[in-house]
Amino acid sequence: MSVDGDRLGALRAWARGDLALEAAVELIATALDGRLLTGPWVRPDEAGRLWFDPAVAEAEQGHLSGGERRVLAIAMSLASSEHPVDLGDAIAGLDPDALDTVLDALALAGGQGR
């Protein structure tokens, strides 16, 4: 398995059982060709297991494009109630592929996997 595949597998294991976390992980892994998977918001815990940290994502997103920031904001909102997002604002201007990925993630979070 590749480094990205190992990273994704570890994140999926962390999120397993919580649909909102699973959706956040799938969103950062699949939207925008997976570019968000390599950000500093994917961090190891004390035991070395990877997890998605919305607080770090909020602090470290400055270098991202507008579309990347909007997708990351949706993932942050899925992962933490402390990071609400206005979906109308967040999805405005997303390219069709990113929008489809966001809709898939929202369906997964709602238990309706598309």
Side-chain angles (χ1 to χ4, degrees):
M1 186 175 275
S2 70
V3 173
D4 282 350
D6 290 344
R7 191 173 183 90
L8 178 54
L11 278 174
R12 283 178 172 157
W14 164 74
R16 190 169 296 121
D18 183 316
L19 290 176
L21 290 178
E22 289 178 12
V25 167
E26 293 307 315
L27 186 55
I28 65 171
T30 59
L32 310 164
D33 298 322
R35 290 190 302 267
L36 298 176
L37 185 60
T38 61
W41 38 83
V42 177
R43 340 181 23 201
D45 64 12
E46 297 81 24
R49 296 173 299 229
L50 292 181
W51 66 292
F52 172 60
D53 187 339
V56 171
E58 183 175 45
E60 298 290 331
Q61 64 179 322
H63 68 284
L64 299 176
S65 71
E68 290 169 332
R69 281 194 300 269
R70 289 192 297 276
V71 169
L72 187 60
I74 295 167
M76 291 163 39
S77 183
L78 287 165
S80 170
S81 62
E82 295 178 17
H83 296 90
V85 67
D86 180 330
L87 281 174
D89 289 341
I91 64 173
L94 288 179
D95 67 60
D97 290 337
L99 179 58
D100 283 345
T101 305
V102 167
L103 293 175
D104 287 344
L106 295 174
L108 175 61
Q112 301 299 314
R114 283 181 31 164

XYZ file of all heavy atoms in Angstrom:
829
model
N 0.847 -1.181 0.000
C 0.000 0.000 0.000
C 0.890 1.241 0.000
O 1.936 1.262 0.603
C -0.911 -0.032 1.237
C -1.927 1.088 1.258
S -3.106 0.968 2.629
C -4.307 -0.121 1.931
N 0.461 2.288 -0.684
C 1.237 3.516 -0.773
C 1.191 4.275 0.551
O 0.377 3.975 1.429
C 0.678 4.402 -1.886
O -0.589 4.907 -1.507
N 2.037 5.298 0.669
C 2.039 6.132 1.873
C 0.674 6.785 2.033
O 0.094 6.783 3.124
C 3.164 7.191 1.800
C 3.056 8.159 2.953
C 4.522 6.520 1.786
N 0.111 7.340 0.936
C -1.223 7.946 1.013
C -2.265 6.899 1.367
O -3.195 7.173 2.115
C -1.595 8.639 -0.297
C -0.925 10.003 -0.451
O -0.334 10.495 0.525
O -1.000 10.563 -1.558
N -2.120 5.688 0.823
C -3.054 4.606 1.147
C -2.965 4.215 2.613
O -3.984 3.963 3.264
N -1.750 4.156 3.141
C -1.566 3.863 4.566
C -2.192 4.965 5.418
O -2.856 4.693 6.417
C -0.082 3.753 4.914
C 0.577 2.517 4.331
O -0.142 1.589 3.914
O 1.823 2.496 4.292
N -1.968 6.208 5.012
C -2.506 7.367 5.720
C -4.036 7.311 5.714
O -4.675 7.502 6.740
C -1.979 8.625 5.047
C -2.212 9.907 5.763
C -1.448 11.014 5.006
N -1.540 12.270 5.650
C -0.702 12.733 6.558
N 0.324 12.001 6.943
N -0.872 13.917 7.092
N -4.607 7.036 4.552
C -6.052 6.965 4.431
C -6.614 5.805 5.251
O -7.621 5.953 5.946
C -6.465 6.851 2.963
C -7.958 6.731 2.696
C -8.739 7.874 3.342
C -8.204 6.682 1.194
N -5.956 4.666 5.202
C -6.406 3.518 5.993
C -6.403 3.821 7.483
O -7.329 3.444 8.210
N -5.376 4.509 7.939
C -5.287 4.872 9.359
C -6.394 5.855 9.736
O -7.007 5.726 10.802
C -3.919 5.471 9.659
N -6.668 6.816 8.872
C -7.746 7.766 9.144
C -9.106 7.083 9.142
O -9.965 7.379 9.974
C -7.746 8.890 8.108
C -6.768 10.016 8.349
C -6.770 10.979 7.168
C -7.087 10.757 9.627
N -9.311 6.188 8.186
C -10.587 5.458 8.140
C -10.775 4.625 9.410
O -11.875 4.543 9.938
C -10.643 4.573 6.902
C -10.929 5.354 5.635
C -10.938 4.464 4.419
N -11.386 5.184 3.247
C -11.093 4.833 2.010
N -10.347 3.747 1.778
N -11.540 5.542 0.993
N -9.704 4.018 9.899
C -9.793 3.233 11.135
C -10.162 4.136 12.310
O -10.976 3.757 13.162
C -8.476 2.515 11.399
N -9.573 5.319 12.362
C -9.879 6.274 13.434
C -11.367 6.677 13.402
O -12.019 6.747 14.441
C -8.988 7.506 13.298
C -9.463 8.685 14.083
C -9.385 8.851 15.436
C -10.121 9.848 13.571
N -9.947 10.053 15.807
C -10.397 10.688 14.664
C -10.480 10.270 12.300
C -11.023 11.915 14.526
C -11.106 11.496 12.152
C -11.375 12.297 13.250
N -11.903 6.916 12.213
C -13.261 7.432 12.067
C -14.338 6.353 12.136
O -15.509 6.667 12.359
C -13.380 8.177 10.740
N -13.956 5.098 11.964
C -14.923 3.995 11.862
C -15.947 4.033 12.996
O -15.602 4.165 14.165
C -14.197 2.663 11.864
C -15.108 1.481 11.526
C -14.330 0.202 11.268
N -13.473 0.371 10.082
C -12.146 0.236 10.110
N -11.523 -0.071 11.224
N -11.444 0.396 9.014
N -17.217 3.957 12.594
C -18.302 3.910 13.561
C -18.991 5.239 13.801
O -20.055 5.284 14.408
N -18.415 6.333 13.322
C -19.026 7.655 13.461
C -19.229 8.193 12.044
O -18.261 8.573 11.374
C -18.110 8.571 14.268
C -18.708 9.941 14.527
O -19.279 10.543 13.587
O -18.583 10.437 15.660
N -20.466 8.210 11.588
C -20.729 8.571 10.192
C -20.217 9.960 9.825
O -19.705 10.155 8.721
C -22.232 8.474 9.889
C -22.809 7.067 9.856
C -24.315 7.122 9.633
C -22.140 6.231 8.772
N -20.338 10.913 10.729
C -19.856 12.261 10.426
C -18.337 12.273 10.264
O -17.803 12.909 9.341
C -20.297 13.239 11.502
N -17.618 11.567 11.136
C -16.158 11.494 11.007
C -15.766 10.727 9.749
O -14.824 11.121 9.051
C -15.534 10.841 12.236
C -15.573 11.638 13.522
C -14.950 10.833 14.661
C -14.887 12.978 13.368
N -16.478 9.636 9.466
C -16.198 8.880 8.245
C -16.386 9.782 7.023
O -15.578 9.755 6.095
C -17.111 7.667 8.145
C -16.785 6.572 9.136
C -17.736 5.391 9.056
O -18.532 5.292 8.097
O -17.682 4.548 9.962
N -17.436 10.596 7.036
C -17.693 11.500 5.917
C -16.599 12.550 5.794
O -16.151 12.869 4.683
C -19.057 12.168 6.094
N -16.145 13.088 6.924
C -15.071 14.088 6.897
C -13.800 13.487 6.308
O -13.134 14.099 5.472
C -14.807 14.621 8.301
N -13.471 12.275 6.725
C -12.276 11.597 6.211
C -12.407 11.348 4.714
O -11.482 11.627 3.937
C -12.010 10.281 6.974
C -10.987 9.412 6.254
C -11.557 10.590 8.391
N -13.555 10.840 4.276
C -13.739 10.585 2.843
C -13.662 11.884 2.050
O -13.127 11.914 0.940
C -15.057 9.855 2.582
C -15.079 8.446 3.129
C -13.914 7.581 2.668
O -13.582 7.592 1.466
O -13.327 6.876 3.510
N -14.169 12.962 2.619
C -14.121 14.243 1.924
C -12.690 14.727 1.743
O -12.298 15.097 0.628
C -14.958 15.269 2.689
C -15.135 16.626 2.030
C -15.716 16.500 0.622
C -16.023 17.513 2.899
N -11.893 14.721 2.804
C -10.518 15.205 2.637
C -9.678 14.252 1.793
O -8.710 14.669 1.166
C -9.816 15.519 3.976
C -9.623 14.287 4.818
C -10.541 16.613 4.730
C -8.758 14.498 6.050
N -10.077 12.983 1.750
C -9.309 11.995 0.980
C -9.660 11.998 -0.495
O -8.807 11.674 -1.328
C -9.529 10.603 1.548
N -10.891 12.343 -0.843
C -11.316 12.191 -2.234
C -11.535 13.502 -2.969
O -11.407 13.542 -4.190
C -12.595 11.335 -2.325
O -13.634 11.949 -1.571
C -12.349 9.932 -1.801
N -11.886 14.558 -2.273
C -12.088 15.843 -2.952
C -10.758 16.387 -3.443
O -9.712 16.155 -2.825
C -12.743 16.842 -1.993
N -10.814 17.077 -4.551
C -9.642 17.804 -5.050
C -8.431 16.886 -5.226
O -7.311 17.225 -4.871
C -9.312 18.968 -4.112
C -10.495 19.880 -3.765
C -10.184 20.740 -2.579
C -10.899 20.711 -4.966
N -8.691 15.710 -5.735
C -7.646 14.717 -5.986
C -6.870 14.335 -4.721
O -5.699 13.974 -4.783
C -6.674 15.202 -7.065
C -7.356 15.418 -8.399
O -8.241 14.610 -8.753
O -7.016 16.405 -9.086
N -7.511 14.436 -3.567
C -6.887 14.014 -2.322
C -5.847 14.963 -1.764
O -5.133 14.615 -0.829
N -5.770 16.176 -2.305
C -4.740 17.123 -1.847
C -4.853 17.461 -0.365
O -3.849 17.786 0.264
C -4.785 18.404 -2.678
C -4.309 18.221 -4.093
C -4.133 19.541 -4.831
N -5.332 20.349 -4.885
C -6.227 20.330 -5.876
N -6.057 19.512 -6.895
N -7.262 21.129 -5.864
N -6.049 17.383 0.191
C -6.219 17.753 1.602
C -5.752 16.658 2.564
O -5.561 16.908 3.746
C -7.684 18.102 1.872
C -8.213 19.298 1.082
C -9.704 19.482 1.348
C -7.439 20.562 1.398
N -5.545 15.476 2.047
C -5.114 14.342 2.873
C -3.712 14.541 3.442
O -3.373 13.972 4.476
C -5.182 13.055 2.047
C -4.876 11.744 2.747
C -5.842 11.496 3.896
C -4.948 10.602 1.746
N -2.907 15.348 2.798
C -1.515 15.508 3.223
C -1.278 16.723 4.115
O -0.149 17.019 4.462
C -0.585 15.609 1.992
O -0.970 16.746 1.224
C -0.665 14.355 1.156
N -2.343 17.415 4.498
C -2.184 18.620 5.310
C -1.783 18.335 6.744
O -1.893 17.204 7.230
N -1.335 19.376 7.456
C -0.909 19.224 8.849
C -2.059 18.888 9.796
O -1.836 18.548 10.952
C -0.301 20.591 9.192
C -0.951 21.541 8.239
C -1.210 20.759 6.983
N -3.292 18.975 9.316
C -4.481 18.647 10.118
C -4.660 17.147 10.277
O -5.467 16.720 11.084
C -5.725 19.276 9.508
C -5.715 19.239 8.013
C -6.088 18.193 7.213
C -5.276 20.270 7.149
N -5.903 18.518 5.899
C -5.397 19.805 5.825
C -4.777 21.558 7.363
C -5.057 20.560 4.719
C -4.436 22.312 6.256
C -4.585 21.811 4.958
N -3.934 16.357 9.517
C -3.910 14.905 9.728
C -2.695 14.647 10.609
O -1.561 14.779 10.161
C -3.821 14.125 8.401
C -3.716 12.627 8.664
C -5.029 14.437 7.519
N -2.962 14.342 11.880
C -1.886 14.291 12.860
C -1.887 12.990 13.648
O -2.917 12.368 13.790
C -2.017 15.412 13.884
C -2.849 16.556 13.503
C -2.922 17.639 14.532
N -1.821 17.657 15.449
C -1.854 18.229 16.625
N -2.931 18.815 17.051
N -0.818 18.223 17.410
N -0.742 12.638 14.178
C -0.692 11.453 15.040
C -1.076 11.829 16.478
O -0.782 12.931 16.941
C 0.772 11.025 14.966
C 1.510 12.292 14.683
C 0.588 13.151 13.872
N -1.730 10.901 17.173
C -1.988 11.104 18.593
C -0.795 10.553 19.381
O 0.232 10.176 18.792
C -3.317 10.474 19.016
C -3.352 8.955 18.876
O -2.300 8.323 18.662
O -4.454 8.387 18.982
N -0.923 10.491 20.692
C 0.186 10.036 21.538
C 0.624 8.612 21.212
O 1.778 8.251 21.397
C -0.191 10.124 23.019
C -0.484 11.523 23.519
C -1.900 11.976 23.180
O -2.805 11.130 22.977
O -2.099 13.196 23.093
N -0.313 7.802 20.723
C -0.008 6.410 20.391
C 0.445 6.241 18.942
O 0.702 5.132 18.501
C -1.234 5.533 20.646
N 0.523 7.351 18.201
C 0.969 7.292 16.815
C -0.133 7.044 15.804
O 0.128 6.930 14.617
N -1.409 6.966 16.260
C -2.534 6.775 15.342
C -2.901 8.116 14.719
O -2.892 9.143 15.388
C -3.740 6.213 16.089
C -3.487 4.823 16.652
C -4.652 4.414 17.504
N -4.752 5.376 18.611
C -4.875 5.047 19.885
N -4.945 3.794 20.233
N -4.945 5.972 20.822
N -3.242 8.097 13.436
C -3.602 9.333 12.745
C -5.056 9.706 12.997
O -5.917 8.841 13.149
C -3.379 9.183 11.246
C -1.927 9.058 10.789
C -1.861 8.933 9.279
C -1.093 10.230 11.269
N -5.312 11.007 13.028
C -6.656 11.536 13.177
C -6.723 12.897 12.506
O -5.701 13.510 12.206
C -7.071 11.597 14.637
C -6.292 12.560 15.490
C -4.974 12.461 15.849
C -6.771 13.763 16.077
N -4.603 13.532 16.628
C -5.697 14.351 16.785
C -7.996 14.407 16.084
C -5.819 15.545 17.482
C -8.112 15.597 16.793
C -7.033 16.147 17.480
N -7.940 13.362 12.241
C -8.171 14.654 11.604
C -8.461 15.674 12.690
O -9.399 15.515 13.469
C -9.347 14.555 10.622
C -9.786 15.875 10.058
C -8.911 16.664 9.331
C -11.078 16.327 10.239
C -9.317 17.876 8.803
C -11.503 17.535 9.720
C -10.612 18.314 8.995
N -7.669 16.744 12.753
C -7.803 17.768 13.787
C -8.379 19.045 13.171
O -7.654 19.800 12.514
C -6.435 18.036 14.409
C -6.500 18.959 15.605
O -7.490 19.718 15.747
O -5.552 18.929 16.409
N -9.671 19.317 13.375
C -10.287 20.509 12.792
C -9.670 21.814 13.292
O -9.618 22.796 12.553
C -11.756 20.408 13.207
C -11.970 19.005 13.599
C -10.650 18.486 14.066
N -9.202 21.850 14.527
C -8.598 23.076 15.053
C -7.312 23.412 14.296
O -7.060 24.577 13.963
C -8.317 22.934 16.544
N -6.514 22.415 13.993
C -5.303 22.645 13.210
C -5.685 23.035 11.783
O -5.072 23.919 11.186
C -4.374 21.407 13.225
C -3.236 21.556 12.248
C -3.845 21.171 14.635
N -6.718 22.407 11.244
C -7.170 22.749 9.896
C -7.569 24.219 9.831
O -7.226 24.922 8.879
C -8.336 21.855 9.486
N -8.276 24.686 10.849
C -8.696 26.088 10.872
C -7.483 27.018 10.916
O -7.437 28.032 10.215
C -9.598 26.337 12.071
C -10.139 27.744 12.135
C -11.126 27.913 13.272
O -10.853 27.443 14.396
O -12.178 28.520 13.014
N -6.497 26.657 11.704
C -5.315 27.510 11.875
C -4.351 27.451 10.694
O -3.643 28.424 10.425
C -4.583 27.107 13.158
N -4.312 26.338 9.986
C -3.284 26.113 8.969
C -3.792 26.151 7.527
O -3.113 25.705 6.632
C -2.615 24.757 9.216
C -1.906 24.645 10.540
C -0.655 25.491 10.607
O -0.021 25.736 9.555
O -0.306 25.924 11.712
N -4.973 26.687 7.280
C -5.540 26.638 5.942
C -5.187 27.834 5.071
O -5.580 27.892 3.904
C -7.054 26.485 6.031
C -7.731 27.683 6.677
C -9.218 27.514 6.738
O -9.817 26.991 5.818
N -9.816 27.964 7.829
N -4.417 28.761 5.578
C -4.129 29.999 4.875
C -3.499 29.840 3.505
O -3.700 30.672 2.624
N -2.756 28.783 3.279
C -2.062 28.600 2.003
C -2.938 27.936 0.943
O -2.526 27.802 -0.202
C -0.800 27.764 2.220
C -1.076 26.344 2.587
N -1.486 25.987 3.853
C -1.037 25.202 1.871
C -1.673 24.682 3.885
N -1.412 24.173 2.695
N -4.157 27.540 1.310
C -5.021 26.826 0.378
C -5.776 27.784 -0.537
O -6.002 28.940 -0.194
C -6.039 25.983 1.160
C -5.483 24.914 2.079
C -6.605 24.249 2.854
C -4.682 23.887 1.305
N -6.222 27.259 -1.669
C -7.069 28.035 -2.574
C -8.448 28.195 -1.936
O -8.783 27.513 -0.959
C -7.202 27.322 -3.919
O -8.010 26.166 -3.779
N -9.263 29.045 -2.508
C -10.608 29.257 -1.987
C -11.437 27.988 -1.987
O -12.132 27.690 -1.013
N -11.381 27.232 -3.063
C -12.131 25.981 -3.138
C -11.640 24.966 -2.126
O -12.439 24.262 -1.500
N -10.330 24.882 -1.957
C -9.768 23.957 -0.970
C -10.204 24.354 0.438
O -10.565 23.489 1.240
C -8.241 23.951 -1.062
C -7.718 23.297 -2.317
C -6.229 23.513 -2.544
O -5.680 24.546 -2.079
O -5.617 22.666 -3.206
N -10.204 25.649 0.726
C -10.641 26.107 2.050
C -12.114 25.780 2.285
O -12.501 25.390 3.385
C -10.404 27.611 2.215
C -8.971 27.952 2.542
C -8.826 29.378 3.043
N -9.266 30.369 2.074
C -8.484 30.935 1.168
N -7.207 30.621 1.115
N -8.956 31.823 0.324
N -12.943 25.929 1.259
C -14.371 25.636 1.429
C -14.605 24.146 1.689
O -15.382 23.772 2.562
C -15.159 26.128 0.216
C -15.238 27.653 0.173
C -16.242 28.153 -0.840
N -15.934 27.803 -2.208
C -15.120 28.466 -3.014
N -14.498 29.543 -2.568
N -14.919 28.079 -4.252
N -13.925 23.298 0.944
C -14.067 21.848 1.169
C -13.550 21.480 2.556
O -14.189 20.715 3.288
C -13.342 21.045 0.067
C -13.260 19.570 0.429
C -14.033 21.234 -1.279
N -12.419 22.035 2.947
C -11.872 21.759 4.275
C -12.821 22.248 5.366
O -13.003 21.572 6.384
C -10.487 22.387 4.422
C -9.717 22.034 5.690
C -9.482 20.534 5.795
C -8.391 22.787 5.719
N -13.458 23.394 5.162
C -14.415 23.911 6.141
C -15.584 22.941 6.327
O -16.064 22.737 7.450
C -14.918 25.287 5.727
N -16.038 22.340 5.250
C -17.128 21.360 5.354
C -16.653 20.135 6.121
O -17.355 19.625 7.000
C -17.666 20.997 3.957
C -18.314 22.231 3.317
C -18.654 19.838 4.043
C -18.606 22.087 1.834
N -15.442 19.671 5.831
C -14.885 18.529 6.573
C -14.738 18.870 8.054
O -15.052 18.038 8.920
C -13.546 18.113 5.978
N -14.287 20.075 8.348
C -14.148 20.504 9.745
C -15.498 20.493 10.448
O -15.615 20.048 11.591
C -13.539 21.912 9.807
C -12.100 21.984 9.386
S -11.495 23.658 8.990
C -12.251 24.682 10.202
N -16.524 20.969 9.744
C -17.861 21.008 10.322
C -18.411 19.605 10.575
O -19.079 19.368 11.586
C -18.795 21.789 9.404
O -20.070 21.906 9.960
N -18.135 18.693 9.675
C -18.558 17.307 9.876
C -17.859 16.684 11.083
O -18.451 15.905 11.819
C -18.270 16.475 8.625
C -19.178 16.728 7.429
C -18.570 16.135 6.167
C -20.565 16.167 7.692
N -16.609 17.039 11.279
C -15.802 16.423 12.331
C -15.999 17.052 13.709
O -15.689 16.427 14.714
C -14.327 16.473 11.952
N -16.518 18.280 13.751
C -16.603 18.973 15.037
C -17.734 19.990 15.037
O -17.792 20.839 14.146
C -15.280 19.688 15.326
O -15.399 20.549 16.436
N -18.567 19.937 16.054
C -19.647 20.914 16.187
C -19.106 22.308 16.506
O -19.844 23.288 16.435
C -20.633 20.474 17.273
O -19.990 20.405 18.523
N -17.842 22.402 16.841
C -17.223 23.691 17.127
C -16.857 24.453 15.852
O -16.373 25.580 15.932
C -15.975 23.497 17.983
C -16.294 22.948 19.357
C -15.055 22.705 20.185
O -13.984 23.246 19.853
O -15.152 21.960 21.169
N -17.089 23.847 14.685
C -16.728 24.467 13.408
C -17.917 24.453 12.447
O -17.856 23.823 11.389
C -15.528 23.744 12.795
C -14.302 23.855 13.622
N -13.988 22.937 14.600
C -13.336 24.786 13.657
C -12.859 23.312 15.189
N -12.443 24.426 14.632
N -19.008 25.158 12.812
C -20.172 25.162 11.914
C -19.837 25.862 10.599
O -18.960 26.722 10.540
C -21.223 25.934 12.702
C -20.445 26.802 13.635
C -19.201 26.016 13.969
N -20.553 25.463 9.562
C -20.325 26.064 8.246
C -21.678 26.337 7.602
O -22.634 25.583 7.792
C -19.450 25.130 7.361
C -20.167 23.857 6.991
C -18.976 25.849 6.115
N -21.756 27.422 6.866
C -22.944 27.731 6.071
C -22.745 27.024 4.736
O -21.904 27.435 3.925
C -23.066 29.237 5.884
C -24.266 29.641 5.063
O -24.701 28.865 4.183
O -24.767 30.755 5.282
N -23.490 25.952 4.516
C -23.292 25.165 3.296
C -23.543 25.976 2.033
O -22.879 25.765 1.027
C -24.177 23.923 3.301
C -23.678 22.775 4.149
C -24.713 21.665 4.180
C -22.351 22.255 3.637
N -24.481 26.899 2.089
C -24.746 27.739 0.922
C -23.513 28.509 0.503
O -23.184 28.592 -0.687
N -22.815 29.076 1.469
C -21.579 29.804 1.168
C -20.458 28.847 0.777
O -19.669 29.132 -0.115
C -21.126 30.626 2.372
C -22.019 31.818 2.645
O -22.768 32.231 1.735
O -21.980 32.323 3.785
N -20.377 27.711 1.478
C -19.258 26.788 1.268
C -19.298 26.122 -0.099
O -18.248 25.889 -0.705
C -19.231 25.731 2.363
N -20.485 25.817 -0.601
C -20.534 25.113 -1.887
C -20.567 26.055 -3.092
O -20.323 25.617 -4.208
C -21.705 24.105 -1.962
C -23.045 24.809 -1.894
C -21.562 23.048 -0.902
C -24.221 23.882 -2.140
N -20.822 27.328 -2.838
C -20.854 28.291 -3.948
C -19.494 28.336 -4.636
O -18.464 28.504 -4.005
C -21.223 29.667 -3.427
N -19.493 28.126 -5.916
C -18.268 28.225 -6.692
C -17.423 26.968 -6.726
O -16.373 26.968 -7.364
N -17.829 25.904 -6.050
C -17.059 24.660 -6.149
C -17.207 24.099 -7.555
O -18.271 24.204 -8.166
C -17.559 23.621 -5.146
C -17.246 23.846 -3.676
C -17.847 22.730 -2.837
C -15.749 23.950 -3.433
N -16.150 23.485 -8.041
C -16.262 22.846 -9.353
C -17.173 21.628 -9.216
O -17.402 21.125 -8.112
C -14.886 22.488 -9.920
C -14.171 21.412 -9.143
O -14.707 20.282 -9.044
O -13.065 21.687 -8.639
N -17.745 21.157 -10.328
C -18.716 20.057 -10.258
C -18.195 18.800 -9.570
O -18.936 18.147 -8.823
C -19.056 19.780 -11.727
C -18.804 21.084 -12.416
C -17.630 21.689 -11.690
N -16.940 18.449 -9.787
C -16.394 17.255 -9.145
C -16.320 17.427 -7.624
O -16.659 16.516 -6.866
C -15.013 16.912 -9.698
C -15.064 16.399 -11.124
O -16.129 15.893 -11.547
O -14.040 16.524 -11.827
N -15.849 18.597 -7.174
C -15.768 18.853 -5.735
C -17.168 18.879 -5.128
O -17.393 18.350 -4.041
C -15.037 20.162 -5.458
N -18.118 19.479 -5.834
C -19.490 19.516 -5.345
C -20.066 18.110 -5.208
O -20.691 17.782 -4.195
C -20.367 20.362 -6.264
C -21.838 20.458 -5.877
C -22.022 21.016 -4.476
C -22.587 21.293 -6.904
N -19.829 17.259 -6.192
C -20.292 15.871 -6.106
C -19.684 15.163 -4.904
O -20.372 14.414 -4.198
C -19.953 15.091 -7.382
C -20.888 15.409 -8.532
O -21.967 15.999 -8.308
O -20.523 15.059 -9.678
N -18.418 15.400 -4.650
C -17.744 14.768 -3.513
C -18.329 15.263 -2.196
O -18.538 14.481 -1.266
C -16.226 15.023 -3.576
O -15.737 14.583 -4.842
C -15.489 14.295 -2.479
N -18.606 16.560 -2.116
C -19.232 17.118 -0.910
C -20.613 16.501 -0.702
O -20.961 16.093 0.410
C -19.320 18.660 -1.000
C -20.247 19.224 0.069
C -17.935 19.284 -0.874
N -21.394 16.405 -1.768
C -22.730 15.813 -1.648
C -22.650 14.349 -1.215
O -23.465 13.894 -0.403
C -23.503 15.965 -2.949
C -23.858 17.409 -3.326
C -24.519 17.450 -4.693
C -24.716 18.071 -2.267
N -21.676 13.617 -1.737
C -21.477 12.225 -1.309
C -21.142 12.159 0.181
O -21.647 11.298 0.906
C -20.365 11.556 -2.116
C -20.758 11.239 -3.547
O -21.966 11.240 -3.863
O -19.837 10.998 -4.362
N -20.278 13.071 0.641
C -19.901 13.088 2.057
C -21.103 13.422 2.940
O -21.299 12.807 3.989
C -18.768 14.089 2.292
N -21.913 14.381 2.508
C -23.094 14.743 3.291
C -24.085 13.582 3.350
O -24.692 13.332 4.390
C -23.752 16.000 2.720
C -22.919 17.277 2.811
C -23.619 18.420 2.094
C -22.613 17.635 4.251
N -24.231 12.868 2.230
C -25.117 11.703 2.215
C -24.597 10.629 3.164
O -25.370 10.019 3.922
C -25.248 11.156 0.797
N -23.290 10.401 3.171
C -22.683 9.424 4.079
C -22.923 9.831 5.533
O -23.315 9.001 6.351
C -21.189 9.291 3.792
C -20.388 8.393 4.738
C -20.908 6.967 4.708
C -18.913 8.433 4.363
N -22.707 11.102 5.827
C -22.910 11.572 7.207
C -24.357 11.394 7.647
O -24.625 11.137 8.825
C -22.500 13.038 7.320
N -25.277 11.507 6.706
C -26.691 11.337 7.022
C -27.153 9.889 6.977
O -28.342 9.609 7.116
N -26.226 8.977 6.758
C -26.560 7.561 6.728
C -27.173 7.101 5.424
O -27.746 6.031 5.342
N -27.010 7.901 4.394
C -27.630 7.593 3.101
C -26.607 7.320 2.020
O -26.944 7.477 0.856
C -28.522 8.783 2.667
C -29.605 9.112 3.634
C -30.573 7.950 3.830
O -31.007 7.341 2.879
N -30.873 7.650 5.080
N -25.375 6.976 2.329
C -24.317 6.786 1.333
C -24.809 6.737 -0.102
O -25.719 6.019 -0.409
N -24.271 7.602 -0.948
C -24.706 7.711 -2.347
C -24.037 6.681 -3.211
O -22.991 6.241 -3.033
C -24.388 9.095 -2.897
C -25.356 10.101 -2.399
C -25.162 11.486 -2.895
N -24.585 11.591 -4.234
C -24.601 12.676 -4.966
N -25.175 13.732 -4.516
N -24.046 12.734 -6.144
